[in-house]
Amino acid sequence: MDCYKCEVQLTEENASEEHIILNACGGRLKSKGLLCKKCNSDFGDQFDRELAETTNDLANLLIIKRHNGEPQPIRTIHKATGEKYNIEYGGAPVQSKTNYEITVDKDGKGRLSINAKNEKEFKKTLSGLKRKYPDLDIDKILASAKKETLYLSEPLEINGHIGGKGALKSITKAAINYYLHKGGGREYIKHLLPYLEGKVEMDVAWMHYPEVDIYASPQGEVSHVLKLVGNSKEGILYAYVELFNVHCFIIRLNESYTGADIDFDYVFNVHSYEVKENQTNLKLTKSELNNLFVNKNSEPFEKVKERYARVIPIAYRMQDQYQINKIISKAVDKAFGAVPSGAVMTEELMAAMREQVVGGIMSFIAHRRRER
Ligand SMILES: [Zn+2]
């Protein structure tokens, strides 16, 4: 076995374990014996990163569990106030900057209001202010401060983007890796290497949203789809890749294909990790395939919007569950944290915990109801 890019012989040390669908998207299908570590990481730097950025919003909102690392926060601006917010993993918006305001009443009393994303930032801001206003009694302020979770009254807007040269390359690599993983011959994909390496431009991959879905995702499911077809009669080898049921691509791998007739697919449920096969429908002639690359100017925004509209309510449900679990475990930790180890759980402590849980959940639910 050697690396299909640089042809170095693969050993235990230098062989990389390749995520065929990016780890950034929560992909779990792996293959060994395709690329060396160096080439794998070069491809990662050159173009996989762009696809990871393109799909990060969905990975974040859908609470995707990756093999390594968590999805990045989504940066966004609150239109009503112009303030910057980060949507954290799990969907909670957190203001990115701490701000404070000092007002003086008619009777000369000063009022200080600090809006911080967490206690640490709150204390940091207070210490900073102490240098400017030495009279501030930090301990007194902290003792009387009440911590409150505030909810935004207006939703935040996220700007999504699709396509992009690097993203298309990354999709092409996924199709090549899936083909080789399935035992395909390297001679049918070799001509695509200069394209992956950035030496030539090639028209290999493009967005694809046909009228009839290639995979009909059941209600409530979000999945990734890989589809590979080799048709020796038509002389074509092509693939279809769908990420989160939103980003859909067709990949023209070879137009003088003489290999075996193949039809493989892989459908991966991003939440249950269930894998399905023989669930997709795609049959193209050579001219149909090539036509998909002719009228490329019309970008399928309406189709993408429809697909987002199907997936976002699923993300909301996932987030509700995630946030409610978080509220409960926080309240339990807080209640138990107050109990010295070995002490008996009293009725009072139970009541305090109930109050924390119910209070937290009620304000969260009230906010969600207002929002919809
Ligand atoms: Zn290599």
Side-chain angles (χ1 to χ4, degrees):
M1 291 281 233
D2 51 15
C3 168
Y4 75 76
K5 179 173 177 270
C6 73
E7 294 178 344
V8 72
Q9 187 159 17
L10 293 175
T11 62
E12 269 305 311
E13 283 79 50
N14 74 0
S16 76
E17 219 178 3
E18 174 77 30
H19 280 88
I20 295 182
I21 296 170
L22 289 190
N23 169 58
C25 299
R28 305 225 155 197
L29 180 62
K30 285 187 181 183
S31 180
K32 232 177 166 176
L34 298 183
L35 287 164
C36 72
K37 279 181 181 155
K38 187 187 174 296
C39 291
N40 190 19
S41 102
D42 285 353
F43 280 164
D45 293 341
Q46 283 159 18
F47 48 74
D48 285 343
R49 188 172 295 164
E50 191 178 322
L51 182 65
E53 281 166 11
T54 304
T55 52
N56 182 67
D57 56 350
L58 285 167
N60 175 312
L61 298 174
L62 288 163
I63 316 182
I64 294 305
K65 289 196 179 73
R66 295 172 171 173
H67 273 138
N68 332 301
E70 256 182 20
Q72 296 297 306
I74 304 169
R75 287 176 223 278
T76 172
I77 292 174
H78 190 220
K79 271 199 171 164
T81 61
E83 270 188 64
K84 287 180 182 165
Y85 279 82
N86 287 332
I87 299 177
E88 295 197 327
Y89 182 64
V94 173
Q95 65 189 70
S96 58
K97 269 193 188 153
T98 296
N99 51 46
Y100 67 89
E101 195 182 11
I102 298 173
T103 48
V104 180
D105 292 351
K106 271 185 206 146
D107 54 5
K109 268 193 175 174
R111 191 176 291 275
L112 166 65
S113 130
I114 300 176
N115 232 325
K117 66 174 172 184
N118 56 34
E119 232 167 300
K120 201 177 143 203
E121 288 290 320
F122 179 76
K123 285 180 187 162
K124 217 171 100 187
T125 309
L126 263 183
S127 319
L129 285 167
K130 172 93 180 162
R131 283 194 289 275
K132 222 166 153 186
Y133 306 98
D135 286 350
L136 279 183
D137 186 342
I138 291 190
D139 292 334
K140 201 176 149 195
I141 293 172
L142 285 174
S144 63
K146 257 179 46 190
K147 203 172 147 189
E148 201 183 351
T149 302
L150 296 176
Y151 292 104
L152 288 171
S153 47
E154 305 91 7
L156 292 167
E157 276 180 31
I158 300 172
N159 291 318
H161 55 131
I162 52 172
K165 277 187 178 178
L168 293 175
K169 255 181 209 175
S170 183
I171 290 292
T172 303
K173 190 197 72 175
I176 289 174
N177 286 357
Y178 183 53
Y179 170 68
L180 295 176
H181 174 67
K182 282 293 193 182
R186 290 186 185 184
E187 65 272 29
Y188 295 111
I189 53 93
K190 230 182 163 113
H191 61 288
L192 299 173
L193 291 178
Y195 162 69
L196 289 189
E197 288 163 20
K199 290 176 186 157
V200 293
E201 290 292 328
M202 280 173 87
D203 210 5
V204 183
W206 189 240
M207 293 175 275
H208 185 48
Y209 294 87
E211 282 310 313
V212 178
D213 290 343
I214 288 164
Y215 172 66
S217 199
Q219 208 184 353
E221 179 191 298
V222 180
S223 44
H224 297 318
V225 179
L226 290 173
K227 169 91 173 167
L228 181 70
V229 182
N231 182 335
S232 58
K233 211 174 119 213
E234 290 287 330
I236 47 175
L237 176 69
Y238 57 99
Y240 169 78
V241 176
E242 185 172 315
L243 297 175
F244 299 111
N245 304 131
V246 171
H247 299 284
C248 307
F249 305 91
I250 190 88
I251 306 98
R252 186 164 53 167
L253 293 170
N254 194 302
E255 291 162 83
S256 48
Y257 181 72
T258 53
D261 287 338
I262 50 175
D263 188 342
F264 297 122
D265 66 1
Y266 169 89
V267 176
F268 174 74
N269 182 319
V270 299
H271 292 122
S272 71
Y273 315 138
E274 187 197 350
V275 172
K276 287 185 269 189
E277 283 174 348
N278 304 319
Q279 300 279 326
T280 57
N281 186 21
L282 175 65
K283 274 191 182 69
L284 296 170
T285 62
K286 189 182 238 171
S287 67
E288 283 167 341
L289 176 65
N290 288 335
N291 275 337
L292 298 177
F293 290 82
V294 176
N295 295 313
K296 293 203 328 189
N297 288 332
S298 55
E299 287 182 348
F301 288 122
E302 283 309 312
K303 281 279 176 192
V304 177
K305 244 163 68 185
E306 269 171 34
R307 283 172 173 263
Y308 263 107
R310 191 188 81 84
V311 163
I312 292 300
I314 300 171
Y316 270 140
R317 274 201 301 281
M318 302 284 308
Q319 290 169 7
D320 283 356
Q321 202 53 54
Y322 182 86
Q323 296 300 339
I324 285 172
N325 286 344
K326 220 165 130 182
I327 290 167
I328 294 173
S329 71
K330 242 185 177 170
V332 172
D333 284 352
K334 205 172 168 188
F336 278 98
V339 187
S341 69
V344 180
M345 191 74 187
T346 61
E347 191 50 48
E348 276 116 1
L349 280 167
M350 285 297 284
M353 189 167 81
R354 264 198 303 273
E355 200 181 311
Q356 287 275 340
V357 172
V358 172
I361 290 179
M362 285 312 285
S363 64
F364 177 73
I365 290 174
H367 159 69
R368 282 300 217 200
R369 286 194 66 141
R370 269 198 306 276
E371 201 176 57
R372 280 165 205 177

